[in-house]
Amino acid sequence: MSSTLSMPAPHHTSRRPAVPTPAASGAGREVLCGFALALFLVSGSWSLARVAGVEPMVIWQPRVWAVIVLVALAFMPARGRAGGRARGRSVLGAELAWLGFSLVSITWAPELELAEDQAVDLALLIAVAVALHRLAHTSRIERLASTLRSSLLVLLLGLAALALLGGVGGRMAVLGGGPNVFGRNMGLLCLLALERALCFGVARSRSRGWWLPVWALVACVAAGLVALSGSRGAMISTVIAAGLLLMLGRARLSRRLAVALGVLGLFVGLLVLTPLGDRVIESFASRVLNLLVADRYVSSRDQIYLIALEGGATRPIAGHGLASFAAQTPWPYAHNLALDAWFETGAIGVALLGLYLGRSALLLARVGTSGRELWVAIALLILVGAQFSGGRYDARALLVCVALALALPRPMPRVRRSP
């Protein structure tokens, strides 16, 4: 009788290599997008050529690389969960129409060399707008927004530290940038810190309670740096946006009042008890009380606005072309978003800008501000500041924050546990 011998199956001890899941790869993508977006917002047109001592070129600007990374990640094949329903399609259309017509106006620009620099600005804004719309469909936009918020905090805290360590006299600025830009950035830092102090969208726990005075102090220091920048537009816009943030907050009214009073008390202590406070008082007295109130000095804004109004009226339909204000006047722009559009792109540009702003406000009113308080407040900060200083590119945070606010999903209602 024959017996069959069964050979034991070979036992493999080696494991299959771990394959990244779509969720994990998606998370990394969204984190990188958030950081690239923060770098784009903070870096402005700053160039490494300023410190490397090489010939200034667009390729040396970190914003260009940030936008390249953002667009490349946005159009990667999406394997995971698709984003929610995009509400801002009409807003995107209005935004692209406004930016696109401004870009087309290069064809009748008086000086092509000046217009080319602004054309790069507009091309980057258009690329970011399209990338954000794509990300709203293919990613968890709330994770991207969270990373953007954290990245902005880190970058702006670094700028604030450089300013405090520098300790130079006059209007404060860093890394070769202008004081108006620095004031706007510190206003943004003030809102971010105030939002953290109010714990919007952050899980409450007793272990995190000691962070409240830390963020309140950061908000106070940032407000002091806004004053030290000497930018009156940044001061006004920061006060208005901070007030809106306090009103819109999901925190209890008692908590909002406590935070507001705590920040106010810390700020008074900062003014009275620290050397930084002495400089803040001196800057505020010089720039606001003496120049603005007593001498009615407005940094030639009245003259600039009059030139923009009268000059735009000579070509009221399509304006004088891209960068024409810089070509025909001693100033680089009209220091007012609407007047800038009026002078360079005429009634068509103003109408497209109004369509974008009106449609954005209408949709934000429909979806509500719950879960979007920070982004709405930042948008208001930039919009108000854009009436006193800067041009189209300086309002880039307005475009980004409106897109994020419209793309974010509605927050889930909190379920109270029964005792």
Side-chain angles (χ1 to χ4, degrees), residues 22 63 83 110 121 130 150 177 182 210 213 264 285 317 319 345 375 384 390 417:
R63 62 173 183 167
D121 297 343
V130 174
S150 301
F182 178 74
W210 65 275
L264 182 60
I317 305 301
T345 55
W375 309 113
V384 174
R417 296 180 180 179

Side-chain angles (χ1 to χ4, degrees), residues 232-302:
R232 289 159 291 189
M235 297 180 203
I236 294 171
S237 59
T238 300
V239 170
I240 294 175
L244 179 69
L245 189 59
L246 287 169
M247 287 192 303
L248 295 180
R250 286 180 290 163
R252 298 187 306 273
L253 179 60
S254 59
R255 181 179 182 84
R256 282 180 275 161
L257 290 175
V259 170
L261 292 175
V263 170
L264 182 60
L266 280 174
F267 190 66
V268 171
L270 179 74
L271 295 178
V272 176
L273 302 175
T274 66
L276 179 65
D278 296 335
R279 296 175 58 191
V280 170
I281 294 174
E282 181 183 355
S283 176
F284 184 82
S286 172
R287 296 288 299 173
V288 178
L289 299 181
N290 296 337
L291 289 178
L292 181 61
V293 177
D295 299 339
R296 299 185 182 277
Y297 174 71
V298 291
S299 302
S300 302
R301 292 296 191 270
D302 51 349

Side-chain angles (χ1 to χ4, degrees), residues 107-415:
T107 57
W108 60 89
E111 286 194 23
L112 189 59
E113 185 177 355
L114 289 174
E116 286 175 350
D117 294 334
Q118 292 198 17
V120 172
D121 297 343
L122 290 168
L124 293 175
L125 291 175
I126 291 172
V128 170
V130 174
L132 280 176
H133 185 71
R134 166 76 176 176
L135 288 167
H137 283 278
T138 61
S139 67
R140 291 185 180 272
I141 201 70
E142 58 271 27
R143 185 184 287 135
L144 187 153
S146 178
T147 303
L148 172 60
R149 177 173 52 189
S150 301
S151 301
L152 283 174
L153 265 173
V154 172
L155 293 174
L156 293 174
L157 283 171
L159 293 182
L162 286 175
L164 292 172
L165 293 174
V168 297
R171 298 180 63 184
M172 186 168 282
V174 294
L175 297 178
N180 291 334
V181 174
F182 178 74
R184 187 164 51 243
N185 282 335
M186 291 303 100
L188 177 54
L189 175 60
C190 181
L191 293 183
L192 288 164
L194 186 60
E195 185 256 359
R196 286 295 176 102
L198 290 165
C199 293
F200 292 150
V202 178
R204 296 187 180 95
S205 64
R206 293 182 180 180
S207 62
R208 296 183 180 181
W210 65 275
W211 278 102
L212 192 152
V214 173
W215 290 120
L217 181 61
V218 171
C220 292
V221 174
L225 292 176
V226 172
L228 286 176
S229 74
S231 174
R232 289 159 291 189
M235 297 180 203
I236 294 171
S237 59
T238 300
V239 170
I240 294 175
L244 179 69
L245 189 59
L246 287 169
M247 287 192 303
L248 295 180
R250 286 180 290 163
R252 298 187 306 273
L253 179 60
S254 59
R255 181 179 182 84
R256 282 180 275 161
L257 290 175
V259 170
L261 292 175
V263 170
L264 182 60
L266 280 174
F267 190 66
V268 171
L270 179 74
L271 295 178
V272 176
L273 302 175
T274 66
L276 179 65
D278 296 335
R279 296 175 58 191
V280 170
I281 294 174
E282 181 183 355
S283 176
F284 184 82
S286 172
R287 296 288 299 173
V288 178
L289 299 181
N290 296 337
L291 289 178
L292 181 61
V293 177
D295 299 339
R296 299 185 182 277
Y297 174 71
V298 291
S299 302
S300 302
R301 292 296 191 270
D302 51 349
Q303 183 181 356
I304 295 173
Y305 295 165
L306 184 61
I307 290 175
L309 280 170
E310 294 179 349
T314 61
R315 298 190 66 177
I317 305 301
H320 296 269
L322 190 62
S324 55
F325 197 85
Q328 299 177 14
T329 71
W331 298 279
Y333 30 68
H335 287 286
N336 180 282
L337 199 58
L339 290 178
D340 193 60
W342 167 246
F343 189 93
E344 296 190 354
T345 55
I348 298 176
V350 173
L352 292 174
L353 171 61
L355 177 63
Y356 166 72
L357 293 176
R359 187 60 183 165
S360 300
L362 180 61
L363 282 184
L364 284 174
R366 286 181 181 176
V367 302
T369 58
S370 180
R372 304 171 176 84
E373 298 89 353
L374 175 65
W375 309 113
V376 173
I378 294 176
L380 182 64
L381 171 81
I382 303 302
L383 180 61
V384 174
Q387 311 315 310
F388 303 100
S389 177
R392 275 179 302 261
Y393 186 72
D394 294 308
R396 60 193 178 278
L398 167 67
L399 312 181
V400 170
C401 290
V402 167
L404 282 178
L406 291 174
L408 285 170
R410 295 180 184 272
M412 297 294 294
R414 292 182 178 178
V415 179

